[in-house]
Amino acid sequence: MRRKLVPSLLVLGLAAGLAGCMEPSTHGNRPPVSRLQEVTPGVQTRDDILMLLGSPSVVPVYGEDTWYYVSSVMMPQSFDNPETVAREIIAVRFDEDGVVAGVDTLDLADGQAVDPVDRETPTRGREMTILEQAIGNLGRFSSQSDGPGL
């Protein structure tokens, strides 16, 4: 019985040791809390925020004038995709003059699941088989060069 117990304990100890190596990792741009506290709505401009917090993660091309600083904490899973255990989004809103109008903080609980659409965009024409493509290309190429230097 003792001969069976020792290998089992070794395997269990190795598994526990490997599980301890899986530490969470932080991704994205998370400005320090001390710098976020320095943001003053109605006073600072885009340039001030850029110097204070750095480049935003996301800047919308159209619509509202808001900069987003997005960061996530990921926990690795064995043989699977990592799991998001925390997410923080700092939204810095600007008015039409480029002055800070407000700062909002969102977390993982504020997120919404998005179901992808599985439709396909139709294309013109029809699909050809490999044989049809090969036969269709016969006679399209000439042995003479068509341009200078060819």
Side-chain angles (χ1 to χ4, degrees):
M1 176 147 162
R2 190 167 203 209
R3 289 184 180 173
K4 291 182 181 180
L5 184 62
V6 171
S8 298
L9 288 176
L10 285 175
V11 169
L12 186 62
L14 181 63
L18 288 175
C21 294
M22 295 195 297
E23 296 182 13
S25 59
T26 303
H27 302 269
N29 182 1
R30 185 178 189 283
V33 175
S34 61
R35 294 210 175 173
L36 284 172
Q37 292 173 347
E38 293 179 34
V39 176
T40 309
V43 176
Q44 293 166 317
T45 64
R46 285 186 190 94
D47 291 337
D48 297 333
I49 297 302
L50 192 59
M51 294 298 292
L52 187 64
L53 303 180
S55 298
S57 304
V58 179
V59 177
V61 178
Y62 302 106
E64 62 185 63
D65 195 9
T66 304
W67 287 1
Y68 297 97
Y69 294 85
V70 181
S71 65
S72 298
V73 176
M74 310 292 279
M75 178 64 79
Q77 303 293 316
S78 60
F79 308 110
D80 200 7
N81 293 331
E83 177 187 359
T84 303
V85 293
R87 179 175 294 131
E88 183 178 51
I89 300 172
I90 309 296
V92 181
R93 293 178 283 114
F94 298 97
D95 62 14
E96 58 276 349
D97 296 326
V99 177
V100 176
V103 178
D104 301 318
T105 303
L106 305 169
D107 61 12
L108 192 58
D110 295 317
Q112 297 177 357
V114 176
D115 293 327
V117 176
D118 60 352
R119 296 183 310 229
E120 292 182 12
T121 303
T123 58
R124 296 186 338 198
R126 66 180 187 88
E127 292 187 26
M128 297 173 59
T129 65
I130 293 175
L131 184 60
E132 288 175 323
Q133 290 177 9
I135 293 173
N137 285 329
L138 290 177
R140 289 190 177 193
F141 304 104
S142 66
S143 60
Q144 300 172 355
S145 66
D146 293 333
L150 295 177

